[in-house]
Amino acid sequence: MSAGPSRARLPLPALIAVTIGALIMLTPLLWTLLLSFKSNADLMRDSGEAFNAPYTLENYRAIFGSQVTRWLLNSLIVSLGTTAGVLILCSLAGYGFARLEFPFRRTLFVFVLLGLAIPEQAVILPRHQFFADLGLHNSYIGLMLPGLTGSFGVFFMTQYFRAIPRDLDEAAMLDGASRFTLFWKVLLPLTIPAQATLGVFTFLAAWNDYWWPLISATTSDRFTLTVGLASAQMNYAQTSGLGFLMAQAVFASIPILIVYIIFQKQIVRAMAGTAAR
């Protein structure tokens, strides 16, 4: 009885090189983690104290009595709202461009692709004025709306819908399915890996966005984590302490780690293009 094909293994030199590279990339993260468990008084004397006991959770306890929890809530609301909006709009747009025939379809899709070539900084002034005229600054809607206009999501979902065989459309239509039923019950479930990938990318982009929240959110109760941590570092680095700032950085990275752990399989499947098989 055949034991089956054996898994290919990396040569020893390549394995050593990959391990060294991983350790180099992890070094700043480990350093941040060590600093977050040290008291601010110890770090004020010497940052090398990070390697010496004792360690403390006081920096993490202090987070829950600060504005960081408010900034975390703001980031969650904005990131989740943006992600949900992008998945809904891009799925509908991708289905329309890939499966429907309507006037100027190709022309509109070219405009979508042109959006990939326009940097955000090129439209920041008219966007700021437009949002100011509508009174949307310092609001969750104002923070989320720019993220809903990403051209990449429309392009990504369009290509994914195009990869699904059209035989499924014909079979569903012969069974009396409407266009919405075809989209909702037949095609959309096949795009779950792609939606997971797009959702993760969108969530990360919204979570890490600094440029637009810095412009739109001018009051501390509407700061996202990126803006809030930057303001804390600029204004309170000496009074709050290095350990407290590092604890905030670790605390802010936890949701991102959770997202990667939950959706890693879907991301691999989507990038491998297995959903349409």
Side-chain angles (χ1 to χ4, degrees):
M1 183 175 179
S2 176
S6 60
R7 294 184 179 181
R9 295 183 177 180
L10 283 175
L12 183 59
L15 182 61
I16 294 175
V18 170
T19 302
I20 294 174
L23 290 175
I24 292 174
M25 289 188 291
L26 285 174
T27 297
L29 301 178
L30 296 175
W31 178 245
T32 301
L33 189 62
L34 280 174
L35 292 178
S36 70
F37 286 110
K38 292 296 296 183
S39 69
N40 297 315
D42 290 341
L43 295 178
M44 286 290 288
R45 291 194 299 269
D46 182 9
S47 60
E49 289 293 322
F51 297 103
N52 303 320
Y55 296 100
T56 177
L57 293 175
E58 185 59 34
N59 293 322
Y60 290 94
R61 284 194 290 265
I63 288 177
F64 295 97
S66 66
Q67 281 190 301
V68 177
T69 51
R70 176 69 184 186
W71 299 337
L72 175 65
L73 178 62
N74 291 341
S75 287
L76 285 175
I77 292 174
V78 172
S79 299
L80 292 175
T82 301
T83 301
V86 165
L87 291 180
I88 293 171
L89 295 176
C90 292
S91 295
L92 290 170
Y95 171 75
F97 281 122
R99 311 302 257 211
L100 302 180
E101 295 291 338
F102 54 88
F104 307 110
R105 179 173 65 94
R106 295 182 182 275
T107 303
L108 289 174
F109 192 66
V110 169
F111 276 105
V112 170
L113 295 181
L114 288 176
L116 295 172
I118 300 176
E120 183 182 7
Q121 291 79 2
V123 298
I124 198 66
L125 289 178
R127 179 195 292 176
H128 177 272
Q129 186 61 50
F130 179 71
F131 277 61
D133 292 340
L134 295 178
L136 293 177
H137 288 310
N138 289 310
S139 68
Y140 291 130
I141 297 297
L143 291 171
M144 287 187 288
L145 279 179
L148 303 181
T149 60
S151 299
F152 171 76
V154 177
F155 171 75
F156 182 69
M157 293 306 299
T158 299
Q159 296 304 109
Y160 211 88
F161 274 110
R162 283 177 177 172
I164 300 176
R166 286 187 173 270
D167 295 344
L168 296 175
D169 301 43
E170 298 173 1
M173 299 294 280
L174 287 174
D175 288 339
S178 64
R179 280 290 181 183
F180 179 77
T181 301
L182 170 63
F183 166 75
W184 183 254
K185 294 187 176 181
V186 179
L187 299 181
L188 194 62
L190 297 177
T191 66
I192 289 178
Q195 291 185 64
T197 302
L198 179 60
V200 170
F201 290 160
T202 303
F203 183 88
L204 293 178
W207 185 270
N208 293 322
D209 187 22
Y210 178 75
W211 177 252
W212 178 246
L214 178 65
I215 296 172
S216 183
T218 58
T219 59
S220 61
D221 63 333
R222 281 293 182 268
F223 283 175
T224 57
L225 264 176
T226 51
V227 178
L229 294 181
S231 68
Q233 185 174 358
M234 289 185 293
N235 298 325
Y236 307 111
Q238 296 299 323
T239 57
S240 296
L242 181 60
F244 182 59
L245 289 176
M246 294 301 102
Q248 293 178 51
V250 173
F251 186 73
S253 66
I254 292 176
I256 302 299
L257 179 62
I258 294 174
V259 168
Y260 272 123
I261 292 174
I262 293 176
F263 293 104
Q264 59 179 327
K265 291 183 179 179
Q266 287 84 348
I267 293 174
V268 172
R269 288 180 56 194
M271 302 310 289
T274 58
R277 295 180 183 178

